[in-house]
Amino acid sequence: MPVVSVTFEPGGAVVPTPPGTSLLKAAQTAGIEITSTCGGRGRCTSCRIKFVSGSIPPPTIMDELQLGDDLVREGFRLSCQTVAAEPVTVQVAPPLTEEAFQILGAEQGIAAQRIVIDAGVTKRSVTVALPREEHHQTSDAEELAKAAGLHAPALPLELLRNLPAILRETKGEVTVATFGDRLLSVEAGDAAALVYGLAIDVGTTSVVTTLMELTSGEVLGSVGSLNPQAVFGGDLMSRIAFAQFNPANLRKLQARITTLLNEQIEEVCQTSGVLPQWIYKVVVVGNSCMHHVLLGIDPSYLGLAPYAPVLRHPLILPARELRLRLPHAIVCFLPIVAGFVGADAVAVALATRIGDSPEIRIAVDIGTNGEAIMGSRDRLLASSAPAGPALEGAQIRNGMRAAHGAVDKVSIEEDVRCHVLGETAPLGICGSGLLDAIAGMLDAGILDWTGLIQVEGRGRLPQKLRERVHMLGEERRFVLVEKGESGSGQEIVLTQDDVRQVQLAKGAIASGVIMLQRIMGVPTSEIAELMLAGGFGNYLSIRSALRIGLIPPLPEDRIRYVGNAAALGAQMCLMSETERARATHLAGWIEHISLAAHPDFQNVFVEAMNFPRSAPEA
Ligand code: FES
């Protein structure tokens, strides 16, 4: 088969590539890292490359739309939209140097939840009677089980291998750790006080691991990082598409998350002085796709109607089966409700106690997927809508994650004022900044309720704002940061296409909530409380979210942030088997509303993409 050589800089790797193959695929196959946030659909800029030698192909529509005239003229192209045709050398554009991501941790712990601690892990010192008489038909394992008060416990092979030595070195004086009828470890001497666990929230964008002491519930450390799988797709559907019917790519995704978890485990252990062998219980939550991928289960059918998961029930298995470096731990996966309503949503429902409330409450977890849970102690409904990564800055011309240099707050009156994370020169705009900008543009009359940038009507605007609204070629745009003020030397703008991306994302989330209200027959006036959960949900301005119609028009005092509720729910299940059983009950009780299958959804979604014609009453 004829091939052409594609050289990737930095590094100079020469990749023999069949003509017609996208340069992104060629790089990924060769193990060269190119971020593909939109999963290679030409809807972002993360895979951009710069041609260094060889002829530069003409720009595709996607190149022009996403990169803009300047970068196209400079020889940049989207590697997912560019195919190999002749020998070329390309420079992989360094990912935007995003430092100090804003990741919502979970270090606040469970104290506020007032739960009874019963982690289910028991550790105690015992004396194992060593077999003495030849006629005494017994074994080390039987004597151990007797001493531990267990009946024929499942003894891991690793433990059996070390058992004879441990028992004789200690003359049978050992500490055993058990979880139910599982014997997790046998340690020399008295180590009964050293008993720890981990609560892990595997999000599509960020992963948070929290180390806790299992008798007191004290949080000893918590680390958060970006999910390294994101280079293969910034949102769920792109991630599923990457692994769909492709075992090698599934293994790549699984390896990425396992490696990260082992790094996080090492970090929390080092900072807290806890040894990995003293960790006995791990609780993992995440959406259904993250759940399946971590288990190495093919997620392909999660991405195809009827979006059925391979399993929904809770799962417990030894950590070593997941290649986690925790020799004695078991890992508990919370149950799933449906294809896109995963264990993270169950954990949110648990942490917010939404199923115990006499009044109607709503919890909305806003990420690349918007999950909504609504109800009371009488009934609970849940829906999930693919919001996409726009609210995380992807697919937005000057979008970026919430990191140093991101415009995260915007106010628009006579002119535009921006706050930048890290108090540094602005490099781009992140989700919370986007919402503020859109809300401010609506109030100032720069945007109408359909989302159209009012170039023709700019005459009515104050001078400073008027100068920021203009056409560039066919493109309507609003300049948020002038060239001279930005850290990239480029203007930071909001284009008409950016506004549409935000409308798609907010329309998806808003329509998910509206559909639940319709099906349950609950008018907004009867909603006692709306809780904002998740990374993005806790950094957005409630006033801006109301102004753009992302959430129902409730009085602000009935809306509150609930932090990383999914991680909190995982902590509750780590510290309490009663809570873990409650989570299993909730998962079986929550009714999943499949939005796509509902006849009204399309109309509700289209309507929800529009903005409210006026600001909500205060
Ligand atoms: S545009 Fe290529 S991955 Fe998004």
mmCIF file of all heavy atoms in Angstrom, residues 484-515:
data_model
loop_
_atom_site.group_PDB
_atom_site.id
_atom_site.type_symbol
_atom_site.label_atom_id
_atom_site.label_comp_id
_atom_site.label_asym_id
_atom_site.label_seq_id
_atom_site.Cartn_x
_atom_site.Cartn_y
_atom_site.Cartn_z
ATOM 1 N N GLY A 484 -4.611 44.892 22.214
ATOM 2 C CA GLY A 484 -3.535 45.442 23.050
ATOM 3 C C GLY A 484 -3.636 45.014 24.507
ATOM 4 O O GLY A 484 -2.641 45.007 25.239
ATOM 5 N N GLU A 485 -4.816 44.575 24.926
ATOM 6 C CA GLU A 485 -4.986 44.222 26.345
ATOM 7 C C GLU A 485 -4.845 42.716 26.585
ATOM 8 O O GLU A 485 -4.756 42.272 27.719
ATOM 9 C CB GLU A 485 -6.384 44.651 26.830
ATOM 10 C CG GLU A 485 -6.642 46.146 26.836
ATOM 11 C CD GLU A 485 -8.145 46.440 26.788
ATOM 12 O OE1 GLU A 485 -8.930 45.455 26.907
ATOM 13 O OE2 GLU A 485 -8.510 47.597 26.557
ATOM 14 N N SER A 486 -4.842 41.941 25.510
ATOM 15 C CA SER A 486 -4.874 40.485 25.734
ATOM 16 C C SER A 486 -3.464 39.917 25.824
ATOM 17 O O SER A 486 -2.536 40.449 25.227
ATOM 18 C CB SER A 486 -5.625 39.781 24.614
ATOM 19 O OG SER A 486 -4.706 39.328 23.637
ATOM 20 N N GLY A 487 -3.333 38.826 26.579
ATOM 21 C CA GLY A 487 -2.031 38.193 26.779
ATOM 22 C C GLY A 487 -1.570 37.423 25.555
ATOM 23 O O GLY A 487 -0.402 37.069 25.425
ATOM 24 N N SER A 488 -2.487 37.166 24.597
ATOM 25 C CA SER A 488 -2.107 36.399 23.390
ATOM 26 C C SER A 488 -1.794 37.327 22.224
ATOM 27 O O SER A 488 -1.384 36.871 21.160
ATOM 28 C CB SER A 488 -3.281 35.495 22.996
ATOM 29 O OG SER A 488 -4.386 36.341 22.640
ATOM 30 N N GLY A 489 -2.042 38.636 22.417
ATOM 31 C CA GLY A 489 -1.793 39.562 21.302
ATOM 32 C C GLY A 489 -2.908 39.517 20.270
ATOM 33 O O GLY A 489 -2.883 40.221 19.270
ATOM 34 N N GLN A 490 -3.892 38.636 20.535
ATOM 35 C CA GLN A 490 -5.054 38.558 19.650
ATOM 36 C C GLN A 490 -6.272 39.106 20.392
ATOM 37 O O GLN A 490 -6.352 38.998 21.616
ATOM 38 C CB GLN A 490 -5.360 37.085 19.303
ATOM 39 C CG GLN A 490 -4.185 36.302 18.730
ATOM 40 C CD GLN A 490 -4.105 36.477 17.213
ATOM 41 O OE1 GLN A 490 -5.083 36.860 16.581
ATOM 42 N NE2 GLN A 490 -2.930 36.266 16.665
ATOM 43 N N GLU A 491 -7.237 39.665 19.659
ATOM 44 C CA GLU A 491 -8.496 40.077 20.295
ATOM 45 C C GLU A 491 -9.143 38.848 20.938
ATOM 46 O O GLU A 491 -8.958 37.733 20.461
ATOM 47 C CB GLU A 491 -9.477 40.573 19.236
ATOM 48 C CG GLU A 491 -9.233 41.955 18.694
ATOM 49 C CD GLU A 491 -10.243 42.290 17.598
ATOM 50 O OE1 GLU A 491 -10.711 41.326 16.906
ATOM 51 O OE2 GLU A 491 -10.577 43.473 17.448
ATOM 52 N N ILE A 492 -9.896 39.050 21.973
ATOM 53 C CA ILE A 492 -10.746 37.979 22.493
ATOM 54 C C ILE A 492 -12.172 38.386 22.146
ATOM 55 O O ILE A 492 -12.662 39.425 22.585
ATOM 56 C CB ILE A 492 -10.548 37.788 24.007
ATOM 57 C CG1 ILE A 492 -9.102 37.342 24.279
ATOM 58 C CG2 ILE A 492 -11.557 36.767 24.557
ATOM 59 C CD1 ILE A 492 -8.742 37.226 25.744
ATOM 60 N N VAL A 493 -12.786 37.614 21.273
ATOM 61 C CA VAL A 493 -14.105 37.995 20.747
ATOM 62 C C VAL A 493 -15.144 36.918 21.072
ATOM 63 O O VAL A 493 -14.801 35.788 21.416
ATOM 64 C CB VAL A 493 -14.044 38.143 19.203
ATOM 65 C CG1 VAL A 493 -13.057 39.221 18.791
ATOM 66 C CG2 VAL A 493 -13.720 36.807 18.540
ATOM 67 N N LEU A 494 -16.400 37.296 20.944
ATOM 68 C CA LEU A 494 -17.496 36.321 20.913
ATOM 69 C C LEU A 494 -18.101 36.431 19.526
ATOM 70 O O LEU A 494 -18.568 37.490 19.132
ATOM 71 C CB LEU A 494 -18.555 36.635 21.975
ATOM 72 C CG LEU A 494 -18.337 36.047 23.364
ATOM 73 C CD1 LEU A 494 -19.564 36.290 24.234
ATOM 74 C CD2 LEU A 494 -18.050 34.561 23.289
ATOM 75 N N THR A 495 -18.042 35.326 18.785
ATOM 76 C CA THR A 495 -18.598 35.348 17.426
ATOM 77 C C THR A 495 -20.054 34.879 17.473
ATOM 78 O O THR A 495 -20.499 34.288 18.475
ATOM 79 C CB THR A 495 -17.818 34.381 16.511
ATOM 80 O OG1 THR A 495 -18.077 33.044 16.973
ATOM 81 C CG2 THR A 495 -16.315 34.662 16.547
ATOM 82 N N GLN A 496 -20.782 35.091 16.378
ATOM 83 C CA GLN A 496 -22.171 34.616 16.311
ATOM 84 C C GLN A 496 -22.205 33.105 16.534
ATOM 85 O O GLN A 496 -23.074 32.578 17.234
ATOM 86 C CB GLN A 496 -22.788 34.950 14.955
ATOM 87 C CG GLN A 496 -24.274 34.625 14.870
ATOM 88 C CD GLN A 496 -25.119 35.413 15.879
ATOM 89 O OE1 GLN A 496 -25.220 36.636 15.829
ATOM 90 N NE2 GLN A 496 -25.671 34.689 16.860
ATOM 91 N N ASP A 497 -21.203 32.392 15.968
ATOM 92 C CA ASP A 497 -21.184 30.927 16.129
ATOM 93 C C ASP A 497 -20.966 30.548 17.598
ATOM 94 O O ASP A 497 -21.564 29.590 18.103
ATOM 95 C CB ASP A 497 -20.068 30.341 15.256
ATOM 96 C CG ASP A 497 -20.175 28.805 15.201
ATOM 97 O OD1 ASP A 497 -21.276 28.323 14.866
ATOM 98 O OD2 ASP A 497 -19.205 28.123 15.593
ATOM 99 N N ASP A 498 -20.156 31.334 18.301
ATOM 100 C CA ASP A 498 -19.949 31.065 19.740
ATOM 101 C C ASP A 498 -21.273 31.184 20.491
ATOM 102 O O ASP A 498 -21.609 30.336 21.334
ATOM 103 C CB ASP A 498 -18.949 32.078 20.322
ATOM 104 C CG ASP A 498 -17.539 31.923 19.775
ATOM 105 O OD1 ASP A 498 -17.213 30.830 19.269
ATOM 106 O OD2 ASP A 498 -16.776 32.920 19.819
ATOM 107 N N VAL A 499 -22.032 32.232 20.167
ATOM 108 C CA VAL A 499 -23.322 32.435 20.853
ATOM 109 C C VAL A 499 -24.234 31.229 20.581
ATOM 110 O O VAL A 499 -24.876 30.700 21.486
ATOM 111 C CB VAL A 499 -24.002 33.743 20.399
ATOM 112 C CG1 VAL A 499 -25.390 33.879 21.031
ATOM 113 C CG2 VAL A 499 -23.137 34.951 20.747
ATOM 114 N N ARG A 500 -24.209 30.745 19.332
ATOM 115 C CA ARG A 500 -25.046 29.576 18.987
ATOM 116 C C ARG A 500 -24.601 28.348 19.775
ATOM 117 O O ARG A 500 -25.430 27.559 20.239
ATOM 118 C CB ARG A 500 -24.958 29.304 17.487
ATOM 119 C CG ARG A 500 -25.503 30.417 16.578
ATOM 120 C CD ARG A 500 -26.960 30.715 16.823
ATOM 121 N NE ARG A 500 -27.488 31.723 15.887
ATOM 122 C CZ ARG A 500 -28.394 32.622 16.239
ATOM 123 N NH1 ARG A 500 -28.837 32.678 17.490
ATOM 124 N NH2 ARG A 500 -28.848 33.497 15.350
ATOM 125 N N GLN A 501 -23.273 28.193 19.959
ATOM 126 C CA GLN A 501 -22.777 27.038 20.731
ATOM 127 C C GLN A 501 -23.307 27.094 22.161
ATOM 128 O O GLN A 501 -23.723 26.099 22.738
ATOM 129 C CB GLN A 501 -21.239 27.043 20.747
ATOM 130 C CG GLN A 501 -20.580 26.675 19.437
ATOM 131 C CD GLN A 501 -20.979 25.280 18.983
ATOM 132 O OE1 GLN A 501 -21.107 24.363 19.791
ATOM 133 N NE2 GLN A 501 -21.250 25.149 17.701
ATOM 134 N N VAL A 502 -23.285 28.288 22.741
ATOM 135 C CA VAL A 502 -23.798 28.441 24.117
ATOM 136 C C VAL A 502 -25.306 28.154 24.141
ATOM 137 O O VAL A 502 -25.812 27.484 25.042
ATOM 138 C CB VAL A 502 -23.499 29.854 24.663
ATOM 139 C CG1 VAL A 502 -24.186 30.069 26.018
ATOM 140 C CG2 VAL A 502 -21.998 30.061 24.785
ATOM 141 N N GLN A 503 -26.002 28.609 23.096
ATOM 142 C CA GLN A 503 -27.462 28.353 23.042
ATOM 143 C C GLN A 503 -27.741 26.849 22.967
ATOM 144 O O GLN A 503 -28.660 26.345 23.633
ATOM 145 C CB GLN A 503 -28.069 29.071 21.832
ATOM 146 C CG GLN A 503 -28.204 30.581 22.032
ATOM 147 C CD GLN A 503 -28.845 31.256 20.837
ATOM 148 O OE1 GLN A 503 -28.165 31.531 19.839
ATOM 149 N NE2 GLN A 503 -30.149 31.513 20.911
ATOM 150 N N LEU A 504 -26.950 26.127 22.193
ATOM 151 C CA LEU A 504 -27.133 24.665 22.098
ATOM 152 C C LEU A 504 -26.930 24.023 23.472
ATOM 153 O O LEU A 504 -27.746 23.214 23.923
ATOM 154 C CB LEU A 504 -26.121 24.083 21.102
ATOM 155 C CG LEU A 504 -26.451 24.194 19.612
ATOM 156 C CD1 LEU A 504 -25.235 23.804 18.767
ATOM 157 C CD2 LEU A 504 -27.652 23.300 19.274
ATOM 158 N N ALA A 505 -25.856 24.433 24.145
ATOM 159 C CA ALA A 505 -25.547 23.826 25.455
ATOM 160 C C ALA A 505 -26.600 24.191 26.495
ATOM 161 O O ALA A 505 -27.138 23.316 27.189
ATOM 162 C CB ALA A 505 -24.166 24.304 25.906
ATOM 163 N N LYS A 506 -26.935 25.467 26.591
ATOM 164 C CA LYS A 506 -27.911 25.853 27.623
ATOM 165 C C LYS A 506 -29.288 25.332 27.272
ATOM 166 O O LYS A 506 -30.061 24.934 28.152
ATOM 167 C CB LYS A 506 -27.886 27.362 27.840
ATOM 168 C CG LYS A 506 -28.678 28.205 26.886
ATOM 169 C CD LYS A 506 -30.031 28.591 27.500
ATOM 170 C CE LYS A 506 -30.889 29.356 26.550
ATOM 171 N NZ LYS A 506 -32.248 29.606 27.057
ATOM 172 N N GLY A 507 -29.613 25.268 25.937
ATOM 173 C CA GLY A 507 -30.895 24.707 25.515
ATOM 174 C C GLY A 507 -31.032 23.252 25.964
ATOM 175 O O GLY A 507 -32.088 22.824 26.441
ATOM 176 N N ALA A 508 -29.936 22.505 25.850
ATOM 177 C CA ALA A 508 -29.973 21.092 26.255
ATOM 178 C C ALA A 508 -30.249 20.969 27.751
ATOM 179 O O ALA A 508 -31.143 20.238 28.185
ATOM 180 C CB ALA A 508 -28.639 20.435 25.901
ATOM 181 N N ILE A 509 -29.511 21.742 28.553
ATOM 182 C CA ILE A 509 -29.674 21.647 30.011
ATOM 183 C C ILE A 509 -31.043 22.168 30.445
ATOM 184 O O ILE A 509 -31.763 21.525 31.214
ATOM 185 C CB ILE A 509 -28.537 22.405 30.707
ATOM 186 C CG1 ILE A 509 -27.210 21.693 30.443
ATOM 187 C CG2 ILE A 509 -28.790 22.530 32.213
ATOM 188 C CD1 ILE A 509 -25.992 22.524 30.709
ATOM 189 N N ALA A 510 -31.426 23.328 29.915
ATOM 190 C CA ALA A 510 -32.723 23.921 30.304
ATOM 191 C C ALA A 510 -33.880 23.003 29.912
ATOM 192 O O ALA A 510 -34.795 22.764 30.701
ATOM 193 C CB ALA A 510 -32.872 25.286 29.647
ATOM 194 N N SER A 511 -33.809 22.428 28.708
ATOM 195 C CA SER A 511 -34.936 21.589 28.265
ATOM 196 C C SER A 511 -35.003 20.309 29.090
ATOM 197 O O SER A 511 -36.093 19.772 29.309
ATOM 198 C CB SER A 511 -34.799 21.264 26.779
ATOM 199 O OG SER A 511 -33.535 20.711 26.510
ATOM 200 N N GLY A 512 -33.854 19.847 29.599
ATOM 201 C CA GLY A 512 -33.883 18.671 30.466
ATOM 202 C C GLY A 512 -34.713 18.929 31.711
ATOM 203 O O GLY A 512 -35.528 18.101 32.127
ATOM 204 N N VAL A 513 -34.553 20.131 32.279
ATOM 205 C CA VAL A 513 -35.314 20.491 33.493
ATOM 206 C C VAL A 513 -36.786 20.731 33.142
ATOM 207 O O VAL A 513 -37.695 20.241 33.817
ATOM 208 C CB VAL A 513 -34.705 21.739 34.158
ATOM 209 C CG1 VAL A 513 -35.556 22.201 35.326
ATOM 210 C CG2 VAL A 513 -33.267 21.474 34.602
ATOM 211 N N ILE A 514 -37.025 21.448 32.048
ATOM 212 C CA ILE A 514 -38.417 21.750 31.647
ATOM 213 C C ILE A 514 -39.199 20.464 31.404
ATOM 214 O O ILE A 514 -40.348 20.317 31.829
ATOM 215 C CB ILE A 514 -38.421 22.638 30.377
ATOM 216 C CG1 ILE A 514 -37.825 24.020 30.688
ATOM 217 C CG2 ILE A 514 -39.838 22.782 29.809
ATOM 218 C CD1 ILE A 514 -37.468 24.834 29.439
ATOM 219 N N MET A 515 -38.543 19.503 30.749
ATOM 220 C CA MET A 515 -39.222 18.224 30.480
ATOM 221 C C MET A 515 -39.602 17.528 31.782
ATOM 222 O O MET A 515 -40.698 16.998 31.919
ATOM 223 C CB MET A 515 -38.305 17.323 29.646
ATOM 224 C CG MET A 515 -38.150 17.759 28.199
ATOM 225 S SD MET A 515 -39.722 17.781 27.299
ATOM 226 C CE MET A 515 -40.113 16.041 27.324
#
